[in-house]
Structures are given as C-alpha cells and as structure tokens.
Amino acid sequence: MTGQRLRASDRIFGLLTGAPALLLVLIVLAIGVVLWRESQLSIAAFGFGFWSSSDWDPVAGAFGAFPFIWGTLYSSVLALLIAAPVSIGIAVFLSDICPHRLRPPLIFLTELLAAIPSIVYGLWGIFVLVPLVRTIQESLPEAVRALPLFSGPPVGVSLLAASLVLAVMVIPYTSSMAREVLRAVPGAQRAAAYALGSTRWEATQVALRYARTGIIGAVMLGFGRAIGETMAVTMVIGNNPQASWSLFAPQYTMAAVLANEFKEAVETLHLHALVEIGLVLFVITLAVNGLSRLLIWRMTTTRPRRAPRRQAAREAA
Amino acid sequence: MRLRFTPAPALLAVVAAAAMSVACGGDTASSGTVRINGAGATFPYPLYSKWFSEYHAQRPEILINYQSIGSGGGVRQLLNQTVFFGASDYPMTDVQLAEAAVPILHLPTVVGAVVPIYNLPGVTADVQFTGPLLADIYLGRITRWNDPALTAINPGVALPDEAITVVHRSDGSGTTFVWVDYLAKVSPAWREQVGVATSVNWPVGLGGKGNEGVAGLVKLTTGAFGYVEPVYATQNQIPFGAVQNAAGRFVKASPASVTAVADGAAPTMPDDFRVSITNAPGDASYPIASFTWLLFHENPPDTMQAAAMVDFMRWALTDGQAFASDLGYSPLPASVVDRELAALGRIRTQ
C-alpha cells in the first residue's frame, strides 16, 4: 500500500516537473514557428538575398538585413575581445588568488553589475562613454584617423561606444561562469603543479589549460547575451544601417532596429521584414548558445576519459 | 481517510462564496458604466490621458482607457476590432481603407508641430532656415554651418566653421512622418530620393531613439542639428530655428502660428479630414505641423459606446481644446472644429 502510494506520488511528481520542462521546449518551438510564419512575405520577396542585401528603405519596400547582422556581430565580437580577458582575470583572482575575506564582497559586486537595468547602462553610455570615445577619436593623430578602422567624423555615438557598454554588461556573466569552471578543476591538478615546484602563475596556467573549453563556453555565453542586448546599445550606437569597419562609425544592430521600428511599421512587408530580422537573430542566438553548451558539456564528459585514452595510446606505442 | 476529504467541499464552498461576492461587486460597479478602449499614437498621449480623466470627472459613468502603443498598432487594432477607437499621427492610406472594407472616420483632435533644433555654442540669435535648405542638410548636400546658403539667409548671425552633425529619429514615428512630409513638399530631390514614411532610408546622420533621444544627442554634440516636437526643445532648453513659410516669412513655432497653419489648410480640406497641412498658406503660419487623428468605425457594433464617444468628442473639440497649449500642442482652429462637429453625425449611435 505504502509502496504503491509512493510510486503514484513519484509519478505525479515526475509529471509536475516534466510538464514545465516540456512547456519550455514547446515555447521555443512556438517562437520559431511564429517568427517563420509572420515573416513569410519578406522571405518570399527577398529569399536568401535578405541576409546579404544592404538596402533598408521602408518607403521603397526594399529590405536587407546585412548592416544589422554586421553591426550585431561586430559589436558583440569586439565587446568579447574587451570583456574576455577582464572576465578571466576576475575569475582567476577570485578562485585562486583573492584572500578569503575579500572574496564574498567581490563576488557580490561583480554579480551586482548583472542586476543593473540595461537602460541605466545606456544612460551611463550616453553621458560617460560617448564623450570619452569622442575625445579619444579627436586625440588620435591624422594619419591614424585616415585608416578605415578609425575613420569618420568624431560624434561619439559609435560601434566602439556600444561595444564598451556591452563589455561591461557581459563581464558579470562571463566572469561568474569562468569562476565556476575554474572551481570545478580538481584540486589535484593544482596540487600536482605545486608539488612539481610550480609558481602560482604556472599553477594557474595548468588550471586554465584544464578548464579552457569551459572558459570558452563562458565567453560564448557572454556572446549570446551581447547579441540580444537592445536598449543600452540603441542608445549609444547611432542607429545608422551602414556596415562599416570603422570603430567610430555609427552603426545598427538587429535587436535595436526591431525595438525602433516595430511600433510604427505600417506596411505589412515592413512588418514581415522586421519579424524576419527577429528570426535571423533567433537562429544566431540559438546557434551561439548551443555551441557554448556543447563546449561546456564536452569539458565535463570527455575530459576525464581523455587521460586514459592517451595513456592507452602511449602503451600501444 | 474520510477526514482528508472533508476540507475539499468546505474549500469549494468558500471559493464559490468568494466568486459570488466578486461577481456581485463587479455588477454593482459596472451597472451603467460604459467602458471604451482605444489604442494608438504616442505623440498625443499626454493630452488624451488628461482629456479622458477630465471627462471622467464630469461623466463618471464613462470610462475611456487608452493604450499608447504607436499609430501603426492603433490602426491594426482598430481594423481587428479589438479596440473601439484608434489614434494615429498620419492618416490611413487609400490602400488601408480599401482593405478595411468598412467605413472609417478620421477626426483631427489637435495640431502638433516639429521644430529644427541645433547646438551652436555662442550663437544666441535665432537661426533661420528655408524648406529646401532643411532638405539639403538632411540629404547631406550642405555639410557645414558656414555654408553660403545658410549665411545668406542669416545675415548678422556668426555661424561657425563647424560640421553639421545631422540627427534623426531611429524609431518609426509620426514626428518623422511630419518632418519628411514637409521636406518632400519643398524639395523634389527629397521626394525622389527618400520619400515619406514613418521611418525612411536616411541619406546621412545619427539615429536617436524617441524625441528625448534626438534632443539628448543634439544637446551633447556641438554642431548637431535635429528635429523634435517643440515641448522637448523648450524642456531641454535647446534653441530651435525659424522656418520660412509658404508666404515667404520666417516663423517660429508657437501655439498661434501652428493653429494658423491648420486654419490655412481648412478651406481646401477634404470631407474625410485626411490631409497633410505642412506648408499650408497663411502669413503667420508655421509650416511644419500636422493634425493627429482619432479613428472610428462609422458603424460601430456597440451603440452605447458610440453615443458616449460622440459626446466625448463634442467636449474634446470644444471645451477640451483649452488643455492643449499647456501640454505643448496647438488647439484646432474654429474653421476645422465646426466641420468636425458636423461630421460626428456620421458615427451611428442607435
């Protein structure tokens, strides 16, 4: 009787927890289906040319997503180039070097950064970063400013300003993830390094090498976050749909154009083109997040197996 | 075992009792109350919410709820009949009206202007602009503040040797629609190259989100030039320029000069009120202005709501106009109000 009741309650418990998990999968599927269905007109009109065309002319009804895809990827990659070394530094310091008493307040502070609403980052960007970027650009010598990477009038709102804001926003996520990954490195690794007479720097290198796939995963997670950020980016990037290599040129991102134009899009084709941008963003975000999950998963499953395999190979040789 | 089940009926009874009391409470509150939902333009939202609450104070039995979701969304919701009325900063197109298949009535509620703002430290006099000049700046043909075309119409103003940083709206908006509608009227090049819509393919410039975004960018950038609704210029203490009107005079935006342009457009206004009033005639007219409209089905399904809404419109077009200038809008001229009051009869109320 008791056993039966237990089994029944287990089944109900399984159902109760399984249903929300299943619901989550259904929601993701539903989002994909709706985006696909609501962008049919645009998909039919532009096909794959939508990805490569640089036209964005609501009056003429010509739509292409390239400047937005470019701006999104460029600003996110640049943000990660800035954020990744800083985040890894924070993670190493907090997991290996930091005195015990300092650790909780520092962890609290980095995680606090994640709780700040993005509009506040946007305001900070407008009032601090934008003038700063303008000053930097004006102080560059003429010869440098002639290079395509630094060209353009000094207005401040630019890809660089957006990347800097994104970098600050991404750091708490990437550094906490990287810290967790470093903490998961078996103590024996560091102990062995120290036993061989390593310095602290060399022991950290060992730990970093051991955790490298996980750290790449943490960086990719930050990438996923940077790609979707809307409010703070649109406030400082200049919203100009022209793809350019210049760090100081105003550009545009996918999330920003969606937020900007969706509300007042009157023509059905314009609306469908915007939804298709949403679809493109959805696909890229899914791909990036999937990739980062895969990396983290590989680190946790194949890592311990590799050592015996290598040993076996050595024995065979 | 039995004990376990006893709470259930008791709980049911409690729930039922609660449901009944809620239902009764709802009944007494809603008996005789007419609830009307509307959605649309964000530009007139401060005035509409003032109107709806003032009107509710006078007629407590009528409750009007307005969602400022944007003109595009307002039109879509009106066509789907999820709201009783819509609101838009630009009239519906002939294509949209044909798709609607039912008659839609446009009624202007108030007049709004768009002003050119600039950031030129040291320039205290009002800078003057002509329509073609504004178009050339936004087309990227005039790029410096001391361009001969600008200095020629601004004698005595020391315009600096500074690049013009053009700022426009990044979001689709009625403000943009009015601005480019004016540019298209005065510049054939603008009409052909860019055209008129709520968001366009801008030849040059930075995009700021919302009126506050444009005002912010202009305020922070020396040499910047943008366009906003007048209230954002005055609130942020950003100077705005005078624009040459159809009669050749340079006029700054003010409630009087904006009402004047609507008055100038009134004689040639079509019966359906779908009209652009930019660059309309009149000596005192400020040329960059537009009506904003409320949109109604002429044969609404609910006549109770229709009667209440017609009564509200009668009030808004007369007594309600007094609230306009305090909130940064310009009241409708009498010539337009009279024709609208007559047009209210087209809404079926019984």
Side-chain angles (χ1 to χ4, degrees), chain A residues 5 56-59 126-127 134 155 157 231 234 238-240 242 250 252 259-267 270-271, chain B residues 42 69-73 76 90 96 165 170-173 194-201 205-207 209 217 220-221:
Chain A
R5 233 178 53 201
W56 187 263
D57 189 343
V59 182
I126 282 188
F127 289 112
R134 190 161 48 215
V155 284
V157 287
M231 204 58 214
T234 195
N239 302 311
N240 182 19
Q242 270 164 12
Y252 220 145
N260 278 330
E261 292 192 6
F262 195 79
K263 199 179 65 173
E264 297 281 345
V266 183
E267 303 292 331
H270 187 188
L271 209 61
Chain B
T42 46
I69 56 168
S71 302
R76 274 195 293 280
Y90 34 89
Q96 284 179 315
T165 302
S170 62
D171 49 333
S173 78
V194 186
V196 182
T198 51
S199 40
V200 299
N201 186 15
L206 309 172
K209 187 163 162 52
L217 277 176
L220 286 169
T221 316

Side-chain angles (χ1 to χ4, degrees), chain A residues 132-172:
Chain A
L132 183 76
V133 168
R134 190 161 48 215
T135 321
I136 293 174
Q137 192 183 356
E138 279 167 343
S139 65
L140 289 176
E142 276 304 319
V144 176
R145 280 173 67 180
L147 295 173
L149 194 60
F150 303 106
S151 62
V155 284
V157 287
S158 57
L159 188 98
L160 181 62
S163 295
L164 287 172
V165 170
L166 279 177
V168 178
M169 295 179 78
V170 158
I171 282 172

Side-chain angles (χ1 to χ4, degrees), chain A residues 1-12, chain B residues 1 4:
Chain A
M1 178 90 186
T2 327
Q4 231 170 9
R5 233 178 53 201
L6 252 180
R7 223 171 295 152
S9 70
D10 265 3
R11 205 169 299 151
I12 292 171
Chain B
M1 278 293 258
R4 249 191 215 170

Side-chain angles (χ1 to χ4, degrees), chain A residues 21-34:
Chain A
L22 186 71
L23 192 69
L24 208 68
V25 176
L26 287 178
I27 288 174
V28 172
L29 281 178
I31 291 174
V33 167
V34 167

Side-chain angles (χ1 to χ4, degrees), chain A residues 85-162:
Chain A
V86 178
S87 302
I88 294 170
I90 292 173
V92 168
F93 181 74
L94 286 177
S95 70
D96 289 2
I97 298 160
C98 179
H100 276 275
R101 217 178 306 154
L102 258 177
R103 192 171 297 170
L106 276 179
I107 290 176
F108 174 76
L109 278 177
T110 39
E111 277 166 9
L112 192 71
L113 278 180
I116 295 173
S118 60
I119 187 132
V120 176
Y121 278 110
L123 285 175
W124 172 72
I126 282 188
F127 289 112
V128 180
L129 285 181
V130 167
L132 183 76
V133 168
R134 190 161 48 215
T135 321
I136 293 174
Q137 192 183 356
E138 279 167 343
S139 65
L140 289 176
E142 276 304 319
V144 176
R145 280 173 67 180
L147 295 173
L149 194 60
F150 303 106
S151 62
V155 284
V157 287
S158 57
L159 188 98
L160 181 62

Side-chain angles (χ1 to χ4, degrees), chain B:
Chain B
M1 278 293 258
R2 222 171 257 167
L3 261 175
R4 249 191 215 170
F5 283 103
T6 37
L11 197 70
L12 260 180
V14 171
V15 169
M20 274 172 73
S21 69
V22 166
C24 293
D27 262 353
T28 43
S30 69
S31 70
T33 300
V34 184
R35 286 166 195 275
I36 303 170
N37 289 318
T42 46
F43 158 66
Y45 175 65
L47 178 65
Y48 288 174
S49 76
K50 176 81 178 161
W51 274 355
F52 297 143
S53 74
E54 284 289 328
Y55 186 70
H56 183 60
Q58 291 182 19
R59 299 275 306 267
E61 74 278 16
I62 299 177
L63 204 60
I64 305 173
N65 171 36
Y66 181 73
Q67 306 284 329
S68 59
I69 56 168
S71 302
V75 169
R76 274 195 293 280
Q77 293 217 6
L78 178 77
L79 296 183
N80 294 336
Q81 304 220 351
T82 45
V83 292
F84 183 82
F85 66 93
S88 179
D89 290 336
Y90 34 89
M92 287 168 67
T93 60
D94 291 340
V95 177
Q96 284 179 315
L97 284 177
E99 278 171 4
V102 289
I104 304 279
L105 179 64
H106 288 65
L107 288 177
T109 50
V110 75
V111 197
V114 181
V115 295
I117 56 172
Y118 48 83
N119 179 345
L120 294 173
V123 176
T124 47
D126 286 338
V127 181
Q128 301 188 324
F129 302 95
T130 67
L133 230 161
L134 291 175
D136 281 348
I137 293 174
Y138 272 77
L139 283 167
R141 292 177 176 178
I142 293 178
T143 56
R144 299 200 76 80
W145 279 105
N146 60 352
D147 190 282
L150 266 167
T151 48
I153 56 165
N154 287 291
V157 183
L159 289 170
D161 180 17
E162 183 103 45
I164 303 178
T165 302
V166 172
V167 183
H168 54 73
R169 289 281 290 268
S170 62
D171 49 333
S173 78
T175 313
T176 294
F177 189 90
V178 177
W179 181 253
V180 297
D181 179 58
Y182 173 69
L183 297 186
K185 272 190 191 170
V186 294
S187 159
W190 186 274
R191 202 157 51 231
E192 280 152 29
Q193 280 182 38
V194 186
V196 182
T198 51
S199 40
V200 299
N201 186 15
W202 297 99
V204 289
L206 309 172
K209 187 163 162 52
N211 277 296
E212 62 283 358
V214 172
L217 277 176
V218 169
K219 204 169 181 177
L220 286 169
T221 316
T222 304
F225 183 71
Y227 62 89
V228 291
E229 288 154 25
V231 71
Y232 289 88
T234 46
Q235 268 175 6
N236 293 301
Q237 294 160 339
I238 303 172
F240 60 94
V243 181
Q244 191 178 38
N245 66 17
R249 298 186 184 207
F250 289 95
V251 180
K252 281 191 87 173
S254 69
S257 68
V258 174
T259 301
V261 77
D263 198 33
T268 54
M269 191 161 59
D271 282 338
D272 63 3
F273 300 103
R274 291 190 299 141
V275 65
S276 150
I277 60 172
T278 49
N279 212 27
D283 278 353
S285 299
Y286 176 75
I288 315 175
S290 170
F291 290 129
T292 180
W293 291 264
L294 282 182
L295 314 175
F296 301 96
H297 287 288
E298 286 190 9
N299 299 306
D302 187 327
T303 50
M304 272 252 290
Q305 292 185 338
M309 207 60 209
V310 166
D311 188 68
F312 163 78
M313 279 307 291
R314 211 165 271 139
W315 175 83
L317 290 170
T318 51
D319 297 349
Q321 292 293 314
F323 296 103
S325 39
D326 277 350
L327 293 168
Y329 309 89
S330 303
L332 295 167
S335 52
V336 175
V337 170
D338 289 344
R339 286 180 62 180
E340 284 191 67
L341 289 173
L344 275 177
R346 283 191 232 158
I347 302 176
R348 191 173 55 92
T349 54
Q350 49 193 327

